[in-house]
Amino acid sequence: PEGMAARIDGLLTQAVAADAKERLQLGRRIIAHGEPALPVLLRGLDGTEIERRRLSAYLLGLSNDPRPLPDLDLVRSDPDEELRFEAATAMIRLGDRRGFTTLIDGLEHQDPITRRRSSSMLRAATGETFGYRHDDHVEERRAAVARWRAWAARQPAPRGP
């Protein structure tokens, strides 16, 4: 088991330094390890290297294992915005609706790239847009965000860990 964890940790280190295509391939290899990958990814999530933390959150979302949900939920309050969005998206992928709040908040961000990313993640998760366009005038965006918030309020209670 220790040897396996070291191999998975090595793959994670390689993935952090890799280009996007190789990162995806290495990420798939990490997730293919199943159960032994979880402790490595949880350590990565709690570490100090931000790219490793972001990648760990992303990969935990692909794990199909709800046990990391409490850790991912804690990360939603991290100062790093990209990490918060990765954790929220991972939570949604794992069936925890609490991640939607973070992404809906991102629709109101001052940066259009952040708004577009939040919108894309929400659309991918729900198939909905509620008329939201990241580059619309602020009043139109506000109205669409209100529709998103109304939708979120109608959803079943979030699944807890």
Side-chain angles (χ1 to χ4, degrees):
E2 288 178 29
M4 174 73 73
R7 283 195 298 280
I8 295 168
D9 189 68
L11 290 173
L12 185 58
T13 299
Q14 286 180 308
V16 168
D19 63 31
K21 183 179 178 184
E22 187 179 4
R23 184 178 281 205
L24 184 60
Q25 292 169 344
L26 289 165
R28 286 183 184 139
R29 287 177 57 195
I30 292 167
I31 292 303
H33 282 91
E35 174 80 26
L38 288 178
V40 174
L41 294 174
L42 287 170
R43 280 193 306 276
L45 187 66
D46 289 335
T48 58
E49 186 185 338
I50 194 61
E51 287 300 323
R52 188 179 189 90
R53 295 182 74 207
R54 291 172 183 165
L55 182 58
S56 294
Y58 172 77
L59 293 174
L60 285 167
L62 300 179
S63 71
N64 293 322
D65 189 327
R67 289 177 293 172
L69 285 170
D71 298 276
L72 290 165
D73 190 39
L74 287 173
V75 172
R76 283 192 313 134
S77 62
D78 193 89
D80 183 77
E81 187 170 82
E82 192 171 330
L83 178 58
R84 287 195 311 267
F85 289 130
E86 286 295 353
T89 302
M91 290 177 72
I92 292 166
R93 283 189 186 120
L94 295 173
D96 190 323
R97 305 183 81 71
R98 292 176 293 177
F100 282 117
T101 305
T102 302
L103 296 180
I104 293 170
D105 289 345
L107 298 176
E108 296 182 301
H109 199 278
Q110 64 184 5
D111 177 26
I113 294 170
T114 299
R115 294 193 308 261
R116 182 178 63 218
R117 185 167 182 218
S118 294
S119 176
S120 294
M121 289 180 194
L122 286 165
R123 186 177 61 250
T126 66
E128 298 286 349
T129 66
F130 296 108
Y132 183 87
R133 291 175 42 111
H134 76 279
D135 56 354
D136 271 348
H137 194 270
V138 68
E139 285 84 19
E140 293 163 334
R141 289 196 320 263
R142 243 185 236 132
V145 170
R147 290 188 290 274
W148 270 110
R149 292 197 191 285
W151 170 85
R154 292 189 306 269
Q155 301 308 302
R159 182 177 102 191

